[in-house]
Amino acid sequence: MSQNIQSVRGMNDILPGEAEFWDVFEETVRSWLKSYGYRPIRLPIVEPTPLFKRAIGEVTDIVEKEMYSFVDSLNGEQLTLRPEGTAGCVRALIQNKLAAQHPQRLYYLGPMFRHERPQKGRYRQFNQVGVESFGFPGPDIDAEQILMGARLWDDLGLEGIRLQLNTLGQAEERASHRAELIAHLEKNADILDEEARRRLYTNPLRILDSKNPLMQEMLAAAPVLFDHLGSASLAHFEGVQQVLRDAGLAYEINRRLVRGLDYYNLTVFEWVTDRLGAQGTVCAGGRYDGLVEQLGGKSTPACGFAMGVERLVALIRDSGGEPALGGIDVYLVHQGEVAARLAPRVAEGLRDRGIDVLFHCGGGSFKSQMKKADVSGANFAVIIGDDEANDGQVTLKPLRASGELQNEQKRVGVDNIADEIMNSFLDGEEA
Ligand code: ATP
Ligand code: MG
């Protein structure tokens, strides 16, 4: 006997029952983005490996140990399954000369790939909604993107998602902080874990991002970047906060928030919840003014964020939300040769009127078909036998009406079914 092939570890099937939540989530997200003037962009899942090395940074978790990189055996190209979307979006922006036209507000959604240890809220294939803006230098767009988050949590009916905010200043300011930070870390060399030791001189700021519990106390006492910021950086940060305060949006300044990718400067932020255990960040982003130039484009200010779809859908499910989709209006039962010819036409006619129809396939007795109709969740059964079909009629039976209405089935002319169904829906709403 041959063994069944299983999915790749950390790459999951999203089955019916769960997938409806994803559909509702995506619909909500698209209309939310539209309401802020963000436009869709669709990007490849595979990009040249050097793109990610240059964009994300060589000394980062993602590039050092999480990328699915491979050589295309057919032509020798070095390729990588995208671990995040910003790099590809910037590549597309440059390649298609989008930024030269006018400022851009863009979004995309889809799968990302990182070779991490799978656990709740952390997968090897996961989905992000990415939101990016190009060509806006001021704090107004940073603030807009943060306010957008707050509105989406509201649209999704989610509570308890807190905002954390920090600024990373500019490269010169980080350089001046760096020397002090390295001195502090050197003084505590005995506490540093292997990864921190490796990054001590290549990327010390990233060590602040470590989740190792043994280092937390030492990191809390580390010199803070904020003390090295000049007036322009401080003014930008204040500008963001001003809008948030005016909007009445609560936030917490987290001086150790640095983000796991190298391209950020100035504003960085994360939306965090306590309801998902260790994997509590549902959305993260910030400004990345240097990236377009770093990837060969003309210097262009930029700001964006990415949301983890799995984590947000988990929150929606935990908060008891029911997907609004799924309900079907009519289960169509038919038996007999004349009925079999009429039934597909009846079903299409109902769909023409916007009524959802589950058409019985596979034959069987009336009784067995009615059982399927009962468990289908449909509001009505439309029943067609040869008798009815010969008279140009069908039987309409309410399946979910309460009390007396339950069994009140009636014969209806083929041309009147849709009206009957619509009317009884209206009656139901009035009641
Ligand atoms: P973390 O600190 O949890 O590893 P990160 O800083 O690596 O997150 P980002 O690169 O900022 O994450 O990605 C943005 C969002 O995408 C995260 O906040 C999270 O919601 C989601 N995300 C990141 N990696 C994964 C993953 N492996 N599985 C599921 N969701 C993920
Ligand atoms: Mg990570």
Side-chain angles (χ1 to χ4, degrees):
M1 267 247 302
S2 65
Q3 225 186 334
N4 291 339
I5 295 174
Q6 304 285 312
S7 66
V8 177
R9 193 163 118 82
M11 304 195 181
N12 301 314
D13 305 312
I14 313 289
L15 303 179
E18 161 130 40
E20 280 88 351
F21 283 93
W22 285 67
D23 282 357
V24 173
F25 173 82
E26 286 171 9
E27 277 171 30
T28 308
V29 161
R30 285 184 206 280
S31 74
W32 159 76
L33 285 159
K34 190 162 170 289
S35 79
Y36 284 86
Y38 281 77
R39 299 180 64 193
I41 181 167
R42 293 183 183 243
L43 302 160
I45 285 172
V46 178
E47 297 274 3
T49 301
L51 173 68
F52 299 113
K53 293 193 175 170
R54 266 165 76 183
I56 299 170
E58 296 266 4
V59 191
T60 55
D61 280 351
I62 293 179
V63 172
E64 279 183 338
K65 53 191 186 198
E66 296 176 359
M67 291 208 303
Y68 282 92
S69 298
F70 57 98
V71 177
D72 182 338
S73 62
L74 299 176
N75 63 8
E77 279 186 86
Q78 309 269 344
L79 303 175
T80 293
L81 301 185
R82 64 182 185 190
E84 54 96 60
T86 304
C89 188
V90 170
R91 185 218 24 84
L93 180 94
I94 298 168
Q95 185 174 334
N96 299 288
K97 303 183 178 63
L98 292 182
Q101 299 164 16
H102 42 72
Q104 300 283 334
R105 283 177 165 93
L106 303 172
Y107 79 88
Y108 46 83
L109 48 93
M112 307 292 162
F113 302 83
R114 298 185 193 176
H115 196 105
E116 305 198 69
R117 192 171 68 76
Q119 52 195 292
K120 182 170 183 271
R122 195 174 289 287
Y123 310 99
R124 290 182 173 173
Q125 174 172 332
F126 62 100
N127 287 265
Q128 287 186 336
V129 177
V131 178
E132 321 278 4
S133 72
F134 299 97
F136 303 100
D140 47 1
I141 192 87
D142 313 25
E144 176 185 273
Q145 291 191 348
I146 292 169
L147 292 181
M148 284 174 77
R151 177 174 299 278
L152 182 63
W153 315 145
D154 203 50
D155 289 353
L156 294 170
L158 297 177
E159 285 170 1
I161 303 182
R162 292 175 286 110
L163 173 62
Q164 302 212 333
L165 197 61
N166 194 21
T167 175
L168 298 181
Q170 303 292 11
E172 320 79 72
E173 294 158 343
R174 287 198 294 277
S176 120
H177 165 246
R178 188 187 144 100
E180 276 186 26
L181 179 61
I182 291 178
H184 173 81
L185 294 169
E186 281 175 333
K187 228 173 31 203
N188 292 284
D190 50 326
I191 312 176
L192 298 184
D193 60 19
E194 193 212 305
E195 187 178 83
R197 254 180 237 139
R198 199 155 35 83
R199 291 178 175 179
L200 183 52
Y201 302 105
T202 48
N203 203 343
L205 197 61
R206 204 59 66 228
I207 299 174
L208 295 178
D209 200 28
S210 166
K211 297 188 175 87
N212 183 343
L214 300 175
M215 302 203 303
Q216 294 309 307
E217 200 178 320
M218 178 275 291
L219 292 176
V224 289
L225 173 62
F226 198 79
D227 299 332
H228 297 258
L229 299 186
S231 58
S233 292
L234 290 172
H236 189 100
F237 197 43
E238 176 51 29
V240 176
Q241 293 178 70
Q242 183 68 56
V243 179
L244 302 186
R245 283 197 300 266
D246 288 347
L249 185 67
Y251 58 90
E252 181 193 329
I253 292 186
N254 176 356
R255 301 263 180 248
R256 280 179 48 204
L257 185 65
V258 296
R259 311 284 306 109
L261 303 88
D262 266 358
Y263 48 60
Y264 288 105
N265 69 309
L266 292 175
T267 319
V268 287
F269 60 91
E270 288 194 1
W271 289 96
V272 196
T273 174
D274 297 327
R275 298 180 191 179
L276 290 175
Q279 267 50 257
T281 304
V282 294
C283 176
R287 188 161 272 283
Y288 52 95
D289 295 326
L291 186 60
V292 179
E293 194 173 15
Q294 190 183 313
L295 292 180
K298 204 167 132 267
S299 171
T300 306
C303 188
F305 61 92
M307 297 185 269
V309 179
E310 282 76 4
R311 294 181 194 181
L312 284 165
V313 169
L315 275 184
I316 294 168
R317 299 200 68 168
D318 289 354
S319 68
E322 276 292 315
L325 297 176
I328 189 94
D329 303 319
V330 166
Y331 193 98
L332 198 146
V333 168
H334 61 93
Q335 204 197 33
E337 271 174 42
V338 190
R341 302 244 345 242
L342 179 61
R345 281 193 283 132
V346 168
E348 290 302 323
L350 291 174
R351 294 187 188 110
D352 284 342
R353 298 285 301 274
I355 294 169
D356 299 340
V357 182
L358 200 59
F359 184 86
H360 181 84
C361 287
S365 67
F366 268 126
K367 200 172 160 210
S368 72
Q369 292 191 37
M370 283 309 294
K371 271 192 192 146
K372 296 213 166 85
D374 277 328
V375 298
S376 72
N379 292 302
F380 292 93
V382 166
I383 305 161
I384 314 178
D386 281 346
D387 284 357
E388 282 112 331
N390 281 324
D391 291 351
Q393 292 195 319
V394 307
T395 298
L396 182 63
K397 182 178 188 326
L399 294 174
R400 280 143 60 101
S402 52
E404 299 159 29
L405 277 178
Q406 178 71 50
N407 293 314
E408 209 185 76
Q409 61 180 53
K410 55 178 158 185
R411 285 252 195 154
V412 189
V414 166
D415 295 334
N416 300 327
I417 319 168
D419 287 334
E420 282 287 336
I421 289 175
M422 305 281 224
N423 286 339
S424 74
F425 270 123
L426 290 178
D427 291 349
E429 268 166 31
E430 276 161 25

